[in-house]
Amino acid sequence: MSRLGDLIRTERIRQKMTPKQVAKKCGVSESYIIAVENGSRIIPDDQARRILKSIGLKQQTEADFSLDDIAATVDLAQVQPSIQSVVQKAPPKPRVEAEKVATTKEEKKDESVTGSIWLDALTSVLKNVPVMNAVLQPVDHRLLPIIQGRIEGGAPDKVFYFLAPDDSMRGFRIHAGDLALVVPAQSPIDGAIMLVEHNSHRYLRKIKTLNPTTYLLQSYDKEYDAVTVNLHEMNCIGRVAKVEFSL
């Protein structure tokens, strides 16, 4: 089953709805809903949002996750973990008196997803990655998908964005204000662009190995420049996995 199918089925069961009831609300066949839940049918995001809204979920949670974020994430083909263990741990819904049923249903219409299995499942596929400035203080954050327990090969709680402070790397296509996703690495990597600390300052620099203990820290603003340093003179913080920029 797909993650989207698992979550739709889980929330449908929590709301005590049958596939036929959901199908009627969405204007599709019961077999269509069953196929989505089984993961045998791929559906577009707008259809996923319509199904989720028919179950009673709002478009935004208190954690600022929109259904666009959710649908885009749960549809990733690489995401494999199942939420069955989460479903099994969900406490049973208490019985309600007949005269309170109508009120409870009305309250559910305005209830956000916070505290539901949605957010429990999201913690395994989304991560708020901090954006750090030149002194490694957080100034913002970005949502990134966790794929097979990693983000670009790094532990999700260790990766971060570094906000390029200047144009010293524009010859390597990194300009001031660009976001470099840094994955922790403690040793220099030949040919990689890395975040290093040298002379009490932190820089993005391209690494060139001269010998096992000597390296070139390369930059390129208006012209190429390089500084030769010994291994003990610098501290490697991490390698740049990708760069994001705004138009």
Side-chain angles (χ1 to χ4, degrees), residues 10 22 39 51 90 98 110 146-147 151 164 166 169 173 176 178 205 246:
T10 297
V22 176
I51 294 175
D110 295 327
I146 301 174
I147 300 175
I151 295 179
D166 52 41
M169 292 293 286
R173 302 173 66 183
D178 289 352
R205 292 292 185 265
S246 300

Side-chain angles (χ1 to χ4, degrees), residues 47-217:
Q47 184 65 35
R49 287 195 296 272
R50 193 195 318 175
I51 294 175
L52 295 172
K53 287 170 66 178
S54 73
I55 298 174
L57 300 184
K58 280 191 169 183
Q59 282 200 351
Q60 192 156 357
T61 73
E62 291 181 9
D64 292 327
F65 291 110
S66 68
L67 289 179
D68 289 324
D69 296 327
I70 294 170
T73 302
V74 297
D75 279 341
L76 289 174
Q78 300 97 323
V79 179
Q80 297 298 329
S82 171
I83 64 163
Q84 293 304 315
S85 60
V86 181
V87 176
Q88 293 169 359
K89 293 178 182 178
K93 296 176 73 69
R95 292 180 177 273
V96 295
E97 297 177 5
E99 60 270 23
K100 294 183 180 179
V101 171
T103 301
T104 303
K105 288 183 178 179
E106 288 299 319
E107 291 174 349
K108 284 180 182 177
K109 292 180 181 179
D110 295 327
E111 185 181 53
S112 74
V113 189
T114 304
S116 74
I117 292 175
W118 251 138
L119 291 184
D120 293 336
L122 280 173
T123 60
S124 68
V125 295
L126 280 179
K127 175 68 176 177
N128 262 332
V129 176
V131 176
M132 302 293 195
N133 60 17
V135 293
L136 295 188
Q137 293 296 316
V139 294
D140 200 355
H141 69 272
R142 293 286 189 277
L143 276 175
L144 281 182
I146 301 174
I147 300 175
Q148 297 181 348
R150 315 290 282 182
I151 295 179
E152 296 293 335
D157 59 340
K158 300 295 184 182
V159 302
F160 62 91
Y161 282 103
F162 182 74
L163 181 64
D166 52 41
D167 285 329
S168 62
M169 292 293 286
R170 67 177 178 176
F172 297 107
R173 302 173 66 183
I174 301 176
H175 295 73
D178 289 352
L179 298 179
L181 183 63
V182 178
V183 178
Q186 298 180 342
S187 300
I189 301 174
D190 187 44
I193 294 177
M194 302 188 71
L195 178 61
V196 300
E197 187 172 16
H198 178 244
N199 289 337
S200 300
H201 293 282
R202 297 173 185 88
Y203 310 97
L204 292 174
R205 292 292 185 265
K206 187 169 184 178
I207 304 296
K208 180 175 178 60
T209 303
L210 299 181
N211 60 56
T213 60
T214 309
Y215 300 86
L216 277 181
L217 302 183

